[in-house]
Amino acid sequence: MRVSSASLLCWLLAGPLAAQDTSASGRPGPEARFRRLDLPAPTALRSANGAPGPAYWQQRADYVIRATLDTAIRSVRGEERITYSNNSPDTLRFVWLQLDQNLFNSDSRGFRVFGQDPRFGTKGAEVSVRLLKVGEPAVPRARGRAAAPAAALPYVVNGTLLRIDLARPLPPGGRQILELEWSFPFGANSNRMGLEDIDGATIYEVAQWYPRMAVYDDVRGWNTEQYMGQGEFYLEYGSFDVSLTVPADMLVAATGTLRNPDEVLTAAQRARLARARTSAETVVIRGKNEIGSSDSRPPTQDPSLTWRFTADSVRDFAWAAARHFIWDAVGVNGGKTLAMSFYPPSAEPQWKDATQYAKTAIEYYSTQWSPYPYPYASNVNGIEGGMEYPMIVFCRNRTDPHALYSVTDHEFGHTWFPMVVGNNERLHGWMDEGFNSFMNHYSFPRKFPDAPLPSSRGVQETYLKNAVSGDEQRIMSPADRMRSNENWRQALYNKPAVGLVLLRDQITSPERFDPVFREYIRRWSYKHPAPADFFRTMEDGLGEDLSWFWRSWFYTTERLDQAVDSVAISDSAGVISRVYLRNAGAMPMPVELALLMDDGTTQRLRLPVEIWGLGDRYTALVPGPRKVSGVIIDAEGLYPDVERANNRWPAAGAPSKPARASGRR
């Protein structure tokens, strides 16, 4: 950092008017504002520097699923075997699973809280999971262990949760195999999945579709928040081996690697896929003119085909199927990944570019933050507006290239949060939606540099509108506690992104911030970070106590309102201009001053946030011989100040756009 002698003198001469514990309004005073943030005490599980500790553990769930899609009655029936590994130090006598489809009926808690009509509502569906089997397989005799026959296990359904009582306690280091059979019908609901009848056929987008293990962690034990629709998911990592039996004329997109392409694809399609992986141009795998042609499906006498997919180091599995998909693909990251798009014929005018959109986004994030870790990235156009799963996303837009890129960019951005960095979305949605929206803030302009940012990608204007509405809610509030769709959008998506943009571009710098954000991804890949782990990792790498920032931006709805009240000239050992500043809002931030001097020149002065640790009023002393004749706080609008009318002194005559100082501060 290079500081001019004049700026250094300003800092040495500057001083507070007064310090206080609380303001006249009773709001938190400087000491409370800058007090060290109260975080959980570090342990051997989670270190004081924000990294997983030497004793960190987490559970694992491995799935083998066999499922059949019945298009006649629009339902899915499946059987699954879960191998659950208890890596905790605790003995477990029961386990919890998630039955998310139980949301979609008039008896669910989500129906009572959110109703039918919102995006995440039930849409009048009367759907629930029908459990056909809950048990464990036979256990053969082994050394020190008696044989045991296959047995049903007692269970209790609590809304969208299933508790299974184990026949024997599961000790630390032990494994439990569970076997379940189940079915559910598709209804009118389109919450993160669903059906769409379009172009004479049906697109099935299938997610939250199988009983999934709930997370048992060192922070809360069993995480048993109900699925109410608005909050998303928290899942264990593991492997999947999934076989999907569908009508023979359907194409399937899914999480993972297709293991039997010779059985479900034609020779031409397999050759095109191989060519696409090394191509920078989009390759059509099954074109519009091939839909309905028997040549586009492998010859078979059976009415159905079984597609088998496997995946490892993932936390979920989703899929889609349709008779009339157009399918195209392109290589990403030098062929390490194959990006693919699946869409109906009427979407082709926009979606012929969708695979290139995926390539643009994934390659940018791979270079900027961390390499995309999976071999496939599929985008499906159907009923769901925008939703993410490992290696597959659902994006609906068919009309607007800007909007299609935005949703594609956002959903594939979720690969890093929460697919790789696996936070608890239901409690801390900002740790994936907010981080992802922050990444989108920089990605979108690379594709459309002249277009305005989408409204939830770190946009100050929409945050400010919510902040002054009187209804703003804290970022730390769970998604299901948001009183309005706008509060949900701001607190989970936009406001965290605005804050991280401030932290990266103004409070610190990209050169300082970016390596630390990458380190957070590295530390917590395929693990379960909590908010404290993120805060500590950032402070550890930035070398800053950012308690004042985390507290005001994430834990409160305090607002930023900086004011310049007046300027006075004194003559004490030379001319000194006194600039009287006030923190009219409760939120502290650094102060950027643009000064117009009496000889017509301009000067920039940056004051650190710590000045507000001495009180809500501050006098900046600017040494002569030139006198300050005009002041603007944050002339370039870099900070989200809710009241800009008090940022200028005098009302007329202050500089409108002073020149930027050279170099970063």
Side-chain angles (χ1 to χ4, degrees):
M1 178 175 73
R2 184 174 59 189
V3 181
S4 69
S5 57
S7 297
L8 179 60
L9 183 58
C10 287
W11 170 240
L12 292 173
L13 292 174
L17 282 184
Q20 67 267 9
D21 294 330
T22 59
S23 69
S25 64
R27 73 186 189 189
E31 290 187 8
R33 195 174 294 151
F34 285 87
R35 186 177 62 245
R36 187 72 174 160
L37 192 64
D38 186 16
L39 298 175
T43 66
L45 299 173
R46 296 172 187 264
S47 300
N49 66 358
Y56 177 82
W57 57 265
Q58 68 187 47
Q59 311 289 63
R60 181 181 174 94
D62 297 300
Y63 297 83
V64 177
I65 304 175
R66 306 287 180 263
T68 300
L69 174 64
D70 188 330
T71 57
I73 60 173
R74 297 190 168 196
S75 71
V76 172
R77 178 168 177 152
E79 58 184 46
E80 67 185 271
R81 173 176 285 202
I82 305 172
T83 302
Y84 183 69
S85 300
N86 181 18
N87 299 318
S88 81
D90 306 322
T91 296
L92 305 178
R93 288 175 166 76
F94 55 83
V95 294
W96 284 98
L97 286 79
Q98 303 179 40
L99 301 177
D100 297 312
Q101 293 297 321
N102 284 354
L103 165 70
F104 302 116
N105 62 72
S106 56
D107 292 327
S108 75
R109 300 188 200 185
F111 174 86
R112 296 301 177 188
V113 174
F114 295 111
Q116 294 187 15
D117 297 330
R119 173 187 170 189
F120 302 124
T122 63
K123 301 295 190 295
E126 288 296 335
V127 172
S128 59
V129 178
R130 182 185 177 199
L131 292 170
L132 306 172
K133 175 184 178 182
V134 177
E136 61 181 4
V139 177
R141 181 182 178 85
R143 180 180 298 177
R145 185 181 66 189
L153 295 175
Y155 66 88
V156 175
V157 175
N158 174 26
T160 59
L161 293 166
L162 166 67
R163 194 186 84 171
I164 301 176
D165 294 329
L166 303 179
R168 295 163 299 282
L170 180 61
R175 294 195 305 170
Q176 171 71 49
I177 298 177
L178 302 172
E179 291 187 338
L180 297 94
E181 293 184 22
W182 45 268
S183 68
F184 73 86
F186 293 95
N189 52 292
S190 57
N191 178 316
R192 312 186 192 281
M193 50 81 68
L195 310 185
E196 182 180 26
D197 297 317
I198 183 174
D199 298 341
T202 303
I203 298 173
Y204 291 79
E205 291 182 324
V206 191
Q208 293 84 249
W209 59 287
Y210 60 96
R212 306 185 292 181
M213 292 301 306
V215 172
Y216 186 83
D217 64 22
D218 64 286
V219 177
R220 303 179 69 248
W222 285 110
N223 287 259
T224 53
E225 283 72 31
Q226 291 282 323
Y227 180 45
M228 297 191 190
Q230 193 157 274
E232 292 184 304
F233 309 109
Y234 188 30
L235 300 163
E236 297 288 12
Y237 288 96
S239 65
F240 286 81
D241 185 335
V242 180
S243 297
L244 303 169
T245 300
V246 303
D249 58 353
M250 280 186 153
L251 292 178
V252 176
T255 298
T257 298
L258 179 63
R259 291 302 181 186
N260 59 337
D262 292 352
E263 299 174 22
V264 297
L265 301 179
T266 67
Q269 289 163 356
R270 298 195 300 272
R272 293 169 187 173
L273 283 169
R275 179 160 55 91
R277 185 171 285 276
T278 58
S279 174
E281 302 299 322
T282 301
V283 175
V284 176
I285 311 303
R286 204 272 288 271
K288 183 177 180 179
N289 62 332
E290 297 177 286
I291 295 173
S293 169
S294 59
D295 292 339
S296 75
R297 303 300 301 117
T300 179
Q301 299 300 314
D302 294 327
S304 61
L305 289 173
T306 297
W307 299 59
R308 180 174 173 240
F309 297 87
T310 63
D312 197 7
S313 299
V314 295
R315 48 174 250 165
D316 201 2
F317 188 101
W319 56 285
R323 291 183 169 90
H324 61 332
F325 273 147
I326 298 172
W327 179 12
D328 61 39
V330 72
V332 174
N333 287 339
K336 294 178 181 177
T337 295
L338 190 64
M340 302 184 288
S341 294
F342 299 79
Y343 48 95
S346 61
E348 187 183 34
Q350 291 296 334
W351 272 71
K352 60 181 173 54
D353 298 319
T355 305
Q356 289 293 330
Y357 291 170
K359 177 181 174 69
T360 297
I362 292 171
E363 289 185 339
Y364 169 66
Y365 296 136
S366 296
T367 300
Q368 174 64 18
W369 301 117
S370 178
Y372 184 88
Y374 299 120
Y376 295 95
S378 297
N379 193 359
V380 179
N381 181 239
I383 190 67
E384 166 54 36
M387 189 58 201
E388 70 280 357
Y389 301 97
M391 294 186 245
I392 186 171
V393 300
F394 300 157
C395 300
R396 178 169 174 77
N397 191 282
R398 297 171 181 144
T399 60
D400 179 351
H402 295 81
L404 177 56
Y405 179 75
S406 176
V407 68
T408 300
D409 179 40
H410 182 78
E411 303 311 335
F412 278 121
H414 274 302
T415 299
W416 287 265
F417 306 100
M419 300 308 156
V420 171
V421 180
N423 63 286
N424 185 337
E425 300 175 87
R426 200 156 292 175
L427 291 183
H428 308 298
W430 61 272
M431 293 183 71
D432 64 290
E433 298 295 358
F435 292 173
N436 189 13
S437 298
F438 160 73
M439 298 196 306
N440 306 154
H441 178 88
Y442 301 98
S443 176
F444 184 86
R446 293 173 64 87
K447 182 66 178 178
F448 294 107
D450 298 324
L453 274 172
S455 62
S456 300
R457 307 297 191 254
V459 178
Q460 286 192 16
E461 289 77 10
T462 55
Y463 156 66
L464 289 169
K465 183 177 179 181
N466 187 243
V468 301
S469 70
D471 193 46
E472 182 191 6
Q473 291 179 256
R474 301 179 311 133
I475 288 174
M476 299 298 287
S477 302
D480 289 324
R481 301 292 185 270
M482 293 298 161
R483 292 187 292 267
S484 69
N485 190 59
E486 186 60 20
N487 284 2
W488 167 78
R489 181 178 290 108
Q490 292 300 322
L492 270 66
Y493 294 73
N494 193 53
K495 186 180 178 183
V498 171
L500 291 178
V501 170
L502 280 175
L503 185 59
R504 177 183 189 263
D505 293 347
Q506 308 307 325
I507 298 170
T508 63
S509 70
E511 295 78 14
R512 294 176 60 197
F513 180 97
D514 292 357
V516 187
F517 199 65
R518 294 182 192 117
E519 175 64 8
Y520 172 69
I521 296 173
R522 188 198 67 79
R523 286 179 175 182
W524 290 98
S525 288
Y526 312 106
K527 297 181 177 69
H528 296 315
D533 302 313
F534 172 68
F535 298 149
R536 284 174 162 146
T537 293
M538 297 307 293
E539 292 185 351
D540 178 57
L542 288 170
E544 297 275 355
D545 179 359
L546 293 168
S547 296
W548 60 271
F549 178 71
W550 311 129
R551 180 180 291 109
S552 64
W553 195 263
F554 288 85
Y555 286 88
T556 78
T557 57
E558 294 174 349
R559 298 181 292 181
L560 177 66
D561 182 10
Q562 296 177 345
V564 52
D565 289 334
S566 62
V567 175
I569 308 298
S570 65
D571 192 354
S572 173
V575 173
I576 296 176
S577 300
R578 296 176 176 268
V579 181
Y580 294 97
L581 304 171
R582 178 165 47 93
N583 191 31
M587 179 182 290
M589 282 286 171
V591 182
E592 301 279 354
L593 294 179
L595 307 175
L596 177 64
M597 313 308 289
D598 60 358
D599 63 356
T601 61
T602 60
Q603 183 175 324
R604 300 295 294 271
L605 177 61
R606 175 185 172 92
L607 301 174
V609 69
E610 285 84 359
I611 65 171
W612 305 122
L614 302 173
D616 288 334
R617 295 179 182 273
Y618 185 85
T619 305
L621 308 182
V622 183
R626 296 177 299 169
K627 301 176 182 178
V628 174
S629 60
V631 181
I632 296 180
I633 296 176
D634 188 23
E636 293 171 324
L638 302 175
Y639 291 82
D641 195 309
V642 298
E643 178 54 79
R644 292 199 170 272
N646 58 15
N647 285 23
R648 178 188 296 262
W649 181 91
S656 58
K657 192 171 177 108
R660 274 187 178 273
S662 62
R664 293 200 63 86
R665 294 177 296 279

